[in-house]
Amino acid sequence: MTAVATLTACKKEIDFDYHEVAPIVTIEGRVTNEGMEVRITQSHNVNDSVKSPGMKGAYVVITDGEETFTLPYDVQSGYYKLGQAGTAGHTYRLLVELNGNRYEASSTMPPPVTLTSTEFLWAKIMDQRLLMYELWGDFTPMAERNYFWYRMVRNGELYRWGTFDDRGRPAGRIFSDITCMTEKMMEENKEEDREKILYDGDRIAFDLLTIDRGAYDYLHALKSGQGTGANPVSNISGGCLGFFTAASVTHVPPIILHLKDVREATRATGY
């Protein structure tokens, strides 16, 4: 791959040599209050857009020290999965054996959040009018600092995701404003912005997961490094990529977005 850099009217060709490496096993495992699932794939090179299929033939076990669950492979989804719900406060351990290698991780499940308010708002910040998704909730703290992972889905496709913690919030309370788009972006409706724009009639669903520090560190690094090709540090031992988390999920019932009904924010955001 060759890029051209211009400096004081001089042109210099810079060659970026992306060294191809052997595929690395990638494990993404989750225990929630809705079930257990583990996806095993192989990494691909930074310039390869083809997604890896789920790998079959692994021995996948999750235990909480009292019960042990073997997860069967589901051909249709490409996941090892089981409908066994996790329990808040339990520590879950993951074991994956594949091609003579052993991968292990553990995670403690925090309690779920009770969301007390969620809504879209227009907010004026500096010289821009922004569409925000504001959420408030209550939870039982597990530690001095607690961690959260959100996912917003638009018409069945992931629209926004991110992480935050409860620093600066009263104990047992959370607040977050998620920026969706600017009013200018909506009015101009440029083709390159259409994945970011929310339209009238879009079906919006929202999930909030309480997660532990290991999962937060991985996801936060993943979000921060998007577009760089860098891999976050895994919380799974054995030399693989990916992460394992025990998390409690809270769902917001899906809504149909009507922008004319979105009200103006009447107070400053935050506490």
Side-chain angles (χ1 to χ4, degrees):
M1 177 179 178
T2 302
V4 178
T6 304
L7 181 63
T8 61
C10 296
K11 292 184 178 180
K12 180 180 179 181
E13 290 190 352
I14 304 174
D15 291 326
F16 294 96
D17 184 12
Y18 292 113
H19 297 285
E20 293 193 1
V21 297
I24 302 171
V25 170
T26 301
I27 299 172
E28 294 178 343
R30 194 184 320 170
V31 177
T32 72
N33 47 324
E34 299 177 337
M36 304 175 175
E37 60 181 30
V38 176
R39 181 168 171 81
I40 306 173
T41 59
Q42 288 186 316
S43 64
H44 54 78
N45 289 306
V46 68
N47 56 353
D48 184 359
S49 61
V50 179
K51 292 185 177 180
S52 301
M55 298 177 67
K56 299 183 290 185
Y59 174 65
V60 179
V61 168
I62 291 175
T63 179
D64 65 355
E66 298 176 2
E67 296 183 88
T68 298
F69 307 97
T70 302
L71 278 60
Y73 183 76
D74 179 70
V75 176
Q76 185 173 359
S77 66
Y79 283 79
Y80 296 82
K81 59 196 305 185
L82 194 66
Q84 176 68 41
T87 303
H90 286 213
T91 297
Y92 290 88
R93 301 186 185 281
L94 170 70
L95 167 64
V96 174
E97 293 182 349
L98 177 66
N99 298 332
N101 296 310
R102 184 182 179 97
Y103 308 97
E104 296 181 87
S106 67
S107 179
T108 301
M109 181 186 293
V113 171
T114 299
L115 289 171
T116 56
S117 174
T118 58
E119 66 175 321
F120 284 100
L121 295 169
W122 286 110
K124 185 71 177 294
I125 300 178
M126 301 295 287
D127 60 345
Q128 294 202 70
R129 195 162 173 255
L130 305 176
L131 183 69
M132 317 287 288
Y133 187 75
E134 181 181 275
L135 64 93
W136 295 77
D138 300 321
F139 69 100
T140 302
M142 287 281 287
E144 183 176 347
R145 189 176 298 174
N146 301 272
Y147 304 92
F148 307 91
W149 172 22
Y150 68 82
R151 302 175 304 191
M152 183 180 291
V153 174
R154 176 186 61 183
N155 303 326
E157 300 289 336
L158 186 64
Y159 169 73
R160 287 278 187 275
W161 74 272
T163 57
F164 62 94
D165 61 38
D166 63 344
R167 282 177 295 181
R169 277 66 168 169
R173 289 282 282 159
I174 59 164
F175 163 86
S176 185
D177 270 331
I178 299 165
T179 302
C180 296
M181 64 179 181
T182 65
E183 185 178 41
K184 181 179 179 182
M185 184 185 295
M186 180 186 69
E187 292 171 344
E188 293 179 345
N189 195 27
K190 294 180 181 178
E191 185 174 355
E192 62 266 27
D193 291 332
R194 287 178 185 166
E195 289 187 359
K196 305 172 186 176
I197 299 172
L198 293 178
Y199 295 93
D200 273 314
D202 280 347
R203 186 177 189 271
I204 306 298
F206 186 86
D207 299 332
L208 181 66
L209 295 86
T210 50
I211 56 177
D212 66 6
R213 177 64 184 268
Y216 172 85
D217 286 346
Y218 178 89
L219 292 165
H220 184 73
L222 181 66
K223 184 76 171 181
S224 301
Q226 279 186 336
T228 67
N231 294 314
V233 177
S234 175
N235 66 347
I236 305 174
S237 67
C240 69
L241 301 176
F243 75 110
F244 173 67
T245 184
S248 291
V249 185
T250 301
H251 297 288
V252 176
I255 65 166
I256 302 301
L257 180 63
H258 298 292
L259 289 167
K260 64 180 178 58
D261 296 331
V262 176
R263 67 182 182 92
E264 298 288 333
T266 57
R267 51 178 163 72
T269 59
Y271 286 96

